[in-house]
Amino acid sequence: DTGVSQNPRHKITKRGQNVTFRCDPISEHNRLYWYRQTLGQGPEFLTYFQNEAQLEKSRLLSDRFSAERPKGSFSTLEIQRTEQGDSAMYLCASRKTGGARNTEAFFGQGTRLTVV
Amino acid sequence: KNQVEQSPQSLIILEGKNCTLQCNYTVSPFSNLRWYKQDTGRGPVSLTIMTFSENTKSNGRYTATLDADTKQSSLHITASQLSDSASYICVVIGTGFQKLVFGTGTRLLVSP
């Protein structure tokens, strides 16, 4: 257990439905990342937060995707009108910055989304 | 474009043997490089973090090397065990931007 918690672990949804995932980072970590990983590939960057501010969004994050971190603690990732191509593992990571640049990033176990 | 490439894509070795995984990156300017181990269906777990001033760092049977001039890193696994079967992912962070740039990983299978 890395201390980063993601829920749910698995989600099966019908195409066109909306889904929301939650990530609870390590409490003192100010930076939170979302990544998407498809089978056999390395994780692809989606977005990241510095406290409650969303600092960068990947072009992979279409307008159907939205992420929030309202109080600078937990974060949610919502996918609207899901498509089969959204099926993937969604990974969350957190990290503490402000000091050394080589602070470790801790990953959650991921949420595996299957769109049928 | 900042990229991280790994080789080989997959590798099968016998239990007890050693192996070396390679990572080449173009991320610049460079801040640090990390190796992660990812078991199937689970999140990545950090093995080692190396800054540009570090050439070698060990973590048990894992030894990572870094050549910041040639932008290459390697992960050497000694006396492999069945539990080493996993994907090994090289991750680079550049100075000035804070994304973790991932390689596609090397899938290692240790066979009895």
Side-chain angles (χ1 to χ4, degrees), chain B residues 83-104:
Chain B
S83 59
D84 292 333
S85 296
S87 289
Y88 291 83
I89 306 176
C90 176
V91 183
V92 179
I93 293 183
T95 303
F97 67 92
Q98 291 296 316
K99 292 182 296 187
L100 306 171
V101 184
F102 284 78
T104 53

Side-chain angles (χ1 to χ4, degrees), chain A residues 67-87:
Chain A
E68 295 182 341
R69 195 183 183 197
K71 298 182 180 179
S73 56
F74 74 91
S75 176
T76 58
L77 177 68
E78 181 183 14
I79 309 174
Q80 296 181 327
R81 305 180 303 281
T82 53
E83 302 172 356
Q84 286 186 323
D86 297 332
S87 296

Side-chain angles (χ1 to χ4, degrees), chain A residues 31 33 35 37 103 109, chain B residues 34 38 42 46 98 100:
Chain A
R31 192 152 289 173
Y33 304 83
Y35 284 80
Q37 185 176 27
T103 55
Q109 299 284 32
Chain B
R34 301 135 186 264
Q38 185 175 26
R42 304 181 75 86
S46 178
Q98 291 296 316
L100 306 171

Side-chain angles (χ1 to χ4, degrees), chain B:
Chain B
K1 181 181 178 181
N2 290 313
Q3 286 187 321
V4 179
E5 295 184 351
Q6 292 186 243
S7 62
Q9 191 172 22
S10 61
L11 182 63
I12 302 174
I13 61 173
L14 291 176
E15 185 180 10
K17 298 296 186 182
N18 304 336
C19 67
T20 301
L21 314 180
Q22 300 290 343
C23 173
N24 296 334
Y25 62 92
T26 59
V27 176
S28 182
F30 168 82
S31 177
N32 59 80
L33 182 146
R34 301 135 186 264
W35 283 94
Y36 282 84
K37 177 185 179 186
Q38 185 175 26
D39 294 313
T40 301
R42 304 181 75 86
V45 175
S46 178
L47 293 175
T48 183
I49 301 173
M50 302 183 74
T51 62
F52 66 89
S53 60
E54 296 174 302
N55 299 121
T56 303
K57 183 173 278 190
S58 292
N59 177 4
R61 295 180 296 102
Y62 301 102
T63 299
T65 66
L66 174 65
D67 186 333
D69 291 330
T70 61
K71 295 184 170 58
Q72 295 179 325
S73 176
S74 66
L75 180 69
H76 186 74
I77 304 175
T78 304
S80 60
Q81 300 176 358
L82 298 179
S83 59
D84 292 333
S85 296
S87 289
Y88 291 83
I89 306 176
C90 176
V91 183
V92 179
I93 293 183
T95 303
F97 67 92
Q98 291 296 316
K99 292 182 296 187
L100 306 171
V101 184
F102 284 78
T104 53
T106 293
R107 295 177 65 83
L108 174 66
L109 176 63
V110 180
S111 175

Side-chain angles (χ1 to χ4, degrees), chain A residues 3-90:
Chain A
V4 179
S5 177
Q6 290 189 247
N7 289 287
R9 288 292 310 278
H10 304 274
K11 178 71 177 179
I12 300 174
T13 190
K14 291 184 179 179
R15 189 174 53 184
Q17 298 294 305
N18 300 343
V19 294
T20 300
F21 311 141
R22 175 174 170 132
C23 172
D24 287 89
I26 294 172
S27 59
E28 66 267 26
H29 285 189
N30 53 344
R31 192 152 289 173
L32 185 148
Y33 304 83
W34 283 100
Y35 284 80
R36 181 174 71 184
Q37 185 176 27
T38 53
L39 201 61
Q41 300 296 314
E44 298 173 292
F45 171 77
L46 292 179
T47 187
Y48 84 93
F49 293 84
Q50 174 82 3
N51 300 314
E52 67 276 9
Q54 188 173 19
L55 296 187
E56 187 173 348
K57 292 170 58 174
S58 163
R59 279 172 287 182
L60 292 174
L61 216 65
S62 74
D63 55 7
R64 296 185 297 106
F65 288 71
S66 62
E68 295 182 341
R69 195 183 183 197
K71 298 182 180 179
S73 56
F74 74 91
S75 176
T76 58
L77 177 68
E78 181 183 14
I79 309 174
Q80 296 181 327
R81 305 180 303 281
T82 53
E83 302 172 356
Q84 286 186 323
D86 297 332
S87 296
M89 173 82 87
Y90 290 83

